[in-house]
């Protein structure tokens, strides 16, 4: 990389725009020698220009007239511009002190107060309005953070270690120190600052946490930093004529571009418009503009050889264009010595001020001025100050000269301030994208199945038959019920295949069918693998069905302490009573595992009891009333054993 160094041989351009007549009296000549030098300017949101000179702070209207001024007890540093701190206040650096100046209220001025006085050299400061904090770099000490109430928040030093590993100052740990002022990236809530070894730090606004540290000393130790507020950080190396774009999230270098020779003293700070184009002026008279991706636009495309841009461009009020000052000289020579290029310039002739849109490379307005031209009419208040290109360009930008665009409001500025910032997407998986998608889908299916399993287990262990009983007993009961259902199915099939079909066989099959339905009900409710079915609607308060006008019962007891109860119910009216009775009967069998063996003999005992009841009913009295018979096709007979044993 060829080093480009600028050695500008000329007097300070007391720029010809002192806008007086050509003839000057001796009194005017003496007055010109006592002109005051203004500091770097700040164009406020109200369109005014703020600057200080000696012990006075000035607020200028866009036409150059003084709106108001405040006297300070300390002489301001002209190398720093005032900084707006919010709440109608300005912070000014004066004799290594930071003074706070309040705007006049109702015509009443307040005296400046000292905000910060370290007693040491202040290298620079910045204000974060969003966090209401001020960040100050003190030479040989570090970076200080204060709130607006002048309370110290934290102190950061360049020497950083984490788990015994040095993150900064790797080359000369003992003599390492910060040597630049802080720069704030409001979109990323970060602070950028460099040390004397050429390392760039990214700190968090909320504390001393180092987000990343980038070593740029391999390129050059002298550089300037400008936040793009678009996800990028622009680093300019004036002596190398290089522009780097760094990722504000990781600090990685995204792209680098070469520009024309740059001024070391001024003009090396780029400006970023609302379209995310960064523009910087060069000593070759060209405005270099780069898009967010590194696309280059030069304005003008054909530039005169005897011209240069010495001061940094200024953004217009719309944010879409920039004001540029181009100086035309009597002559300019470039000389290459070794790896360095020296630029020598002769006396300046004219200055051309232009309004340029970097994205389209269009020039919307342009005007040239010379020291003999009174065409730039500014207020006579400015005649007491030295007017160079930097000062004149600030007033041209504040007055929106030749600007066809609409100025942005505060709301527009806030809404578009971080519109080009793109969130960082970290790639967790490295490999085939299709494989990653299938893997994520597989994980999703596993999670769904696991959730279903957990829900099933939660419902299953709440079953009533599992409360206080071993799980093996529950499984044994399920196997017994399945075996009983199969036996009933085989019995029903056998009876249906028999050639004889009498009323006794039909009633027997009906009983078996009802028996099978009860077994199925238990397998699907109390002994199922799902939740218990609410059977509270079924009455279990009575062992025998209640008489509801459609049925009657007869009870008999013999000498052997055996009882037989016969229920007479019409078929279409007895379904509910039968179901209630059988539900109660089978639920009573579930009280313990010890009764499970008895369930196997229930079917045989009921069949045997049914047979005896049929025999007795047939031999007793054939002429009896039909209501007492059990062989009627419209009646059903149910038997229940009430004694300890049932004998033949």
């Amino acid at each position: 990389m060829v080093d480009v160094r600028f050695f500008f041989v000329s007097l300070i351009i007391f720029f010809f725009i002192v806008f007086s007549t050509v003839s000057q009296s001796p009194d005017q000549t003496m007055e010109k020698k006592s002109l005051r030098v203004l500091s770097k300017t700040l164009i406020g949101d109200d369109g005014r220009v703020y600057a200080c000179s000696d012990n006075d702070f000035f607020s200028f209207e866009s036409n150059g007239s003084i709106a108001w001024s405040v006297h300070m007890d300390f002489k301001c540093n002209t190398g720093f511009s005032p900084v707006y701190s919010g709440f109608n206040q300005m912070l000014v650096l004066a004799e290594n002190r930071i003074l706070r100046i309040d705007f006049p209220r109702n015509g009443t001025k307040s005296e400046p107060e000292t905000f910060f006085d370290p007693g040491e050299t202040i290298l620079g400061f910045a204000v974060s309005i969003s966090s209401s904090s001020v960040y100050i770099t003190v030479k040989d000490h570090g970076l200080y953070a204060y709130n607006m109430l002048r309370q110290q928040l934290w102190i950061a030093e360049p020497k950083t270690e984490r788990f015994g590993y040095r993150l900064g100052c790797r080359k000369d740990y003992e003599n390492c120190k910060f040597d630049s002022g802080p720069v704030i990236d409001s979109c990323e809530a970060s602070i950028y600052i460099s040390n004397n070894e050429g390392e760039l730090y990214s700190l968090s606004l909320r504390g001393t946490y180092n987000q990343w540290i980038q070593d740029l000393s391999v390129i050059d130790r002298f550089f300037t930093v400008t936040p793009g507020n678009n996800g990028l950080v622009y680093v300019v190396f004036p002596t190398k004529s290089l522009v780097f774009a760094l990722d504000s999230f990781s600090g990685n270098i995204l792209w680098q571009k070469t520009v024309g020779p740059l001024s070391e003293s001024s003009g090396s700070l780029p400006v970023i418009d609302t379209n995310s184009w960064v523009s910087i002026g060069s000593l070759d008279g060209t405005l270099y503009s780069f898009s967010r991706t590194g696309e280059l636009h030069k304005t003008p495309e054909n530039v005169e050889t005897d011209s240069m841009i010495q001061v940094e461009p200024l953004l217009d009020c719309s944010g879409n264009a920039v004001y540029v000052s181009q100086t035309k000289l009597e002559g300019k020579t470039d000389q290459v010595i070794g790896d360095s290029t020296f630029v020598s310039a002769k006396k300046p002739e004219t200055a051309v001020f232009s309004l340029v849109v970097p994205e389209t490379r269009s020039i919307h307005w342009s005007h040239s001025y010379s020291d003999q031209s009174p065409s730039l009419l500014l207020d006579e208040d400015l005649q007491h100050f030295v007017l160079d290109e930097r000062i004149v360009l600030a007033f041209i930008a504040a007055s929106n000269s030749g600007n066809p665009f609409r100025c942005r409001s505060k709301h527009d500025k806030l809404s578009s301030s971080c519109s080009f910032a793109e969130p960082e997407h970290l790639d967790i998986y490295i490999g085939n994208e299709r494989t990653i998608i299938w893997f994520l889908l597989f994980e999703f299916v596993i999670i769904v199945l696991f959730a279903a399993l957990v829900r099933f287990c939660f419902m299953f262990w709440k079953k009533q038959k599992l409360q206080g009983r071993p799980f093996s007993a529950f499984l044994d009961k399920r196997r017994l019920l399945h075996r009983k259902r199969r036996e009933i199915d085989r019995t029903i099939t056998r009876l249906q295949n028999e050639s004889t079909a009498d009323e006794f066989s039909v009633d027997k099959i009906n009983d078996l069918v009802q028996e099978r339905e009860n077994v199925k009900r238990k397998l699907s409710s109390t002994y199922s693998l799902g939740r218990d079915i609410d059977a509270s609607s079924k009455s279990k308060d009575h062992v025998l069905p209640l008489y509801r006008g459609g049925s009657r019962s007869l009870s008999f007891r013999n000498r052997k302490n055996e009882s037989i109860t016969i229920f007479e119910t019409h078929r279409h009216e007895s379904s509910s009573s039968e179901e209630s009775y059988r539900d109660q009967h089978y639920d009573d069998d579930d009280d313990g595992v010890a009764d499970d063996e008895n369930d196997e003999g229930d079917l045989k005992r009921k069949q045997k009891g049914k047979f005896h009841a049929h025999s007795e009913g047939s031999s007793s009295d054939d002429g009896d009333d039909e209501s007492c018979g059990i062989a009627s096709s419209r009646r059903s007979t149910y038997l229940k054993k009430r004694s300890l044993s049932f004998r033949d």
Side-chain angles (χ1 to χ4, degrees):
M1 189 69 63
V2 178
D3 288 344
V4 181
R5 306 196 65 174
F6 170 65
F7 178 76
F8 185 62
V9 182
S10 68
L11 298 175
I12 299 177
I13 303 177
F14 283 47
F15 196 38
F16 28 88
I17 314 176
V18 182
F19 309 108
S20 57
T21 59
V22 177
S23 59
Q24 295 181 352
S25 62
D27 296 337
Q28 290 176 325
T29 304
M30 294 300 295
E31 182 180 357
K32 187 173 182 178
K33 294 181 180 179
S34 61
L35 292 178
R36 305 175 65 177
V37 178
L38 287 173
S39 66
K40 289 186 176 181
T41 58
L42 170 68
I43 302 177
D45 294 334
D46 53 1
R48 290 180 175 177
V49 179
Y50 297 91
C52 64
S53 177
D54 296 332
N55 292 70
D56 295 305
F57 179 82
F58 296 96
S59 173
F60 295 94
E61 299 289 354
S62 59
N63 61 357
S65 62
I66 298 177
W68 54 270
S69 62
V70 174
H71 181 74
M72 302 181 296
D73 294 334
F74 305 96
K75 187 176 181 179
C76 73
N77 191 328
T78 57
F80 295 86
S81 61
V83 178
Y84 182 70
S85 61
F87 308 104
N88 292 329
Q89 293 178 343
M90 285 285 181
L91 296 182
V92 181
L93 181 60
E95 297 183 13
N96 290 321
R97 297 175 177 84
I98 297 179
L99 304 180
R100 180 161 55 188
I101 300 175
D102 296 328
F103 289 7
R105 299 179 181 177
N106 300 326
T108 303
K109 300 179 182 179
S110 59
E111 293 293 329
E113 61 177 347
T114 301
F115 180 84
F116 180 72
D117 184 7
E120 300 290 343
T121 302
I122 296 178
L123 300 179
F125 70 99
V127 175
S128 173
I129 299 179
S130 60
S131 61
S132 299
S133 304
V134 182
Y135 304 92
I136 310 164
T137 305
V138 181
K139 185 178 181 180
D140 299 334
H141 286 76
L143 178 65
Y144 291 77
Y146 282 81
N147 59 20
M148 290 303 174
L149 300 177
R150 295 185 291 184
Q151 297 173 342
Q152 181 175 304
L153 302 177
W154 47 263
I155 303 176
E157 295 184 355
K159 303 175 184 178
T160 304
E161 290 186 2
R162 185 174 297 174
F163 305 109
Y165 179 75
R166 294 180 182 178
L167 300 180
C169 302
R170 302 174 186 176
K171 298 179 180 179
D172 189 358
Y173 189 78
E174 298 298 331
N175 299 320
C176 183
K177 59 193 68 174
F178 288 135
D179 66 347
S180 70
V183 179
I184 295 178
D185 190 335
S186 58
C187 294
E188 301 294 335
S190 303
I191 306 173
Y192 305 119
I193 190 172
S194 61
N195 61 16
N196 56 353
E197 294 185 1
E199 294 176 329
L200 178 62
Y201 292 70
S202 175
L203 307 177
S204 173
L205 287 177
R206 298 297 181 182
T208 58
Y209 173 71
N210 292 326
Q211 299 179 132
W212 49 264
I213 300 176
Q214 181 65 263
D215 187 6
L216 302 175
S217 61
V218 293
I219 304 170
D220 195 4
R221 293 191 177 187
F222 175 66
F223 53 83
T224 61
V225 181
T226 303
N229 290 322
N230 56 2
L232 301 180
V233 184
Y234 298 101
V235 181
V236 178
F237 298 88
T239 59
K240 302 292 184 179
S241 300
L242 291 175
V243 177
F244 278 62
L246 277 61
D247 185 0
S248 60
F249 181 79
S250 61
N252 296 329
I253 299 175
L254 301 181
W255 51 262
Q256 67 180 61
K257 301 295 180 180
T258 303
V259 296
L262 302 175
S263 173
E264 294 184 6
S265 58
S266 62
S268 59
L269 291 176
V271 62
I272 297 94
D273 59 22
T274 55
N275 298 317
S276 197
W277 283 78
V278 54
S279 302
I280 186 171
S282 172
L283 295 177
D284 61 6
T286 303
L287 179 69
Y288 291 83
S289 301
F290 299 96
S291 67
R292 194 177 185 277
T293 57
E295 180 184 358
L296 173 62
H297 285 178
K298 292 183 180 181
T299 308
E301 296 183 3
N302 298 321
V303 64
E304 298 181 7
T305 57
D306 294 336
S307 63
M308 63 174 55
I309 298 177
Q310 301 182 92
V311 297
E312 57 267 15
L314 295 179
L315 193 66
D316 76 326
C317 64
S318 68
N320 298 318
V322 294
Y323 284 96
V324 183
S325 173
Q326 185 183 54
T327 305
K328 293 184 178 181
L329 310 167
E330 291 182 355
K332 184 181 70 171
T333 59
D334 299 340
Q335 185 178 5
V336 178
I337 302 177
D339 294 335
S340 302
T341 300
F342 295 89
V343 179
S344 301
K346 296 182 180 180
K347 180 181 178 182
E349 291 182 343
T350 58
V352 179
F353 298 95
S354 306
L355 180 64
V356 180
V357 178
E359 185 177 17
T360 61
R361 287 180 285 196
S362 58
I363 301 176
H364 286 268
W365 173 83
S366 180
H367 208 292
S368 61
Y369 303 95
S370 66
D371 57 351
Q372 303 296 327
S373 174
S375 55
L376 186 61
L377 299 178
L378 296 177
D379 192 86
E380 61 180 7
D381 290 342
L382 287 178
Q383 296 181 5
H384 303 288
F385 302 94
V386 175
L387 296 180
D388 55 12
E389 289 178 278
R390 175 174 49 84
I391 301 298
V392 175
L393 184 63
F395 282 98
I396 291 177
S399 61
N400 296 319
S401 299
N403 193 344
F405 304 106
R406 182 182 64 86
C407 293
R408 294 179 299 171
S409 62
K410 290 184 178 181
H411 175 74
D412 295 336
K413 291 180 180 180
L414 292 176
S415 60
S416 63
S417 58
C418 301
S419 59
F420 283 89
E422 297 180 358
E424 182 71 15
H425 300 284
L426 297 179
D427 294 331
I428 301 176
Y429 303 104
I430 301 176
N432 192 315
E433 183 178 356
R434 185 181 181 88
T435 304
I436 294 174
I437 294 176
W438 280 108
F439 177 74
L440 294 178
L441 182 61
F442 174 75
E443 282 189 335
F444 175 76
V445 173
I446 294 298
I447 292 174
V448 171
L449 294 178
F450 181 75
L453 179 62
V454 171
R455 185 175 182 272
F456 167 76
C457 294
F458 178 76
M459 294 188 303
F460 181 75
W461 288 109
K462 290 181 64 177
K463 295 180 67 65
Q464 183 179 2
K465 295 300 181 180
L466 289 175
Q467 305 300 320
R469 298 181 182 180
F471 182 65
S472 59
F474 178 84
L475 296 179
D476 292 341
K477 182 63 178 179
R478 275 182 55 86
R479 287 193 296 268
L480 179 62
L481 290 174
H482 281 291
R483 186 167 63 252
K484 180 186 292 186
R485 187 187 64 180
R486 290 192 296 270
E487 291 177 357
I488 293 174
D489 291 339
R490 288 194 296 269
T491 304
I492 292 176
T493 304
R494 180 177 56 81
L495 292 175
Q496 289 177 347
N497 294 332
E498 290 179 355
S499 59
T500 60
D502 53 2
E503 294 182 356
F504 175 74
S505 299
V506 173
D507 290 342
K508 188 175 182 180
I509 292 175
N510 291 338
D511 291 341
L512 291 174
V513 170
Q514 293 179 2
E515 187 96 12
R516 183 178 61 183
E517 294 299 323
N518 280 276
V519 172
K520 290 182 178 180
R521 178 187 59 80
K522 296 172 70 175
L523 286 174
S524 62
S525 59
T526 56
Y527 286 97
S528 67
L529 296 179
R531 67 174 65 184
D532 289 334
I533 299 177
D534 187 11
S536 60
S537 60
K538 298 181 179 181
S539 175
K540 295 184 180 181
D541 297 336
H542 305 279
V543 175
L544 301 178
L546 298 178
Y547 174 73
R548 302 183 184 278
S551 64
R552 60 180 180 177
S553 63
L554 298 176
S555 300
F556 304 93
R557 183 178 297 274
N558 60 7
R559 297 178 180 179
K560 296 181 180 182
N561 198 23
E562 296 177 348
S563 63
I564 299 178
T565 303
I566 302 176
F567 299 94
E568 180 184 11
T569 307
H570 294 285
R571 294 281 181 180
H572 65 278
E573 297 177 353
S574 63
S575 60
S576 63
S577 299
E578 294 171 5
E579 182 69 20
S580 176
Y581 170 75
R582 292 192 177 274
D583 289 347
Q584 178 63 36
H585 173 71
Y586 282 105
D587 287 342
D588 292 342
D589 292 342
D590 296 339
D591 290 341
V593 182
D595 296 337
D596 293 343
E597 292 78 2
N598 297 331
D599 291 342
E600 297 180 353
D602 285 348
L603 179 62
K604 297 179 179 179
R605 289 196 297 269
K606 290 182 180 292
Q607 294 174 356
K608 190 177 294 185
K610 184 72 175 180
F611 173 78
H612 283 283
H614 182 270
S615 301
E616 293 176 2
S618 300
S619 61
S620 60
D621 189 3
D622 295 337
D624 199 2
D625 193 280
E626 291 183 355
S627 61
C628 299
I630 62 174
S632 175
S633 60
R634 301 181 58 186
R635 300 187 180 102
S636 299
T637 305
Y638 304 98
L639 304 176
K640 183 172 179 65
K641 183 178 179 181
R642 300 294 299 275
S643 63
L644 298 176
S645 63
F646 189 87
R647 300 179 181 177
D648 294 336

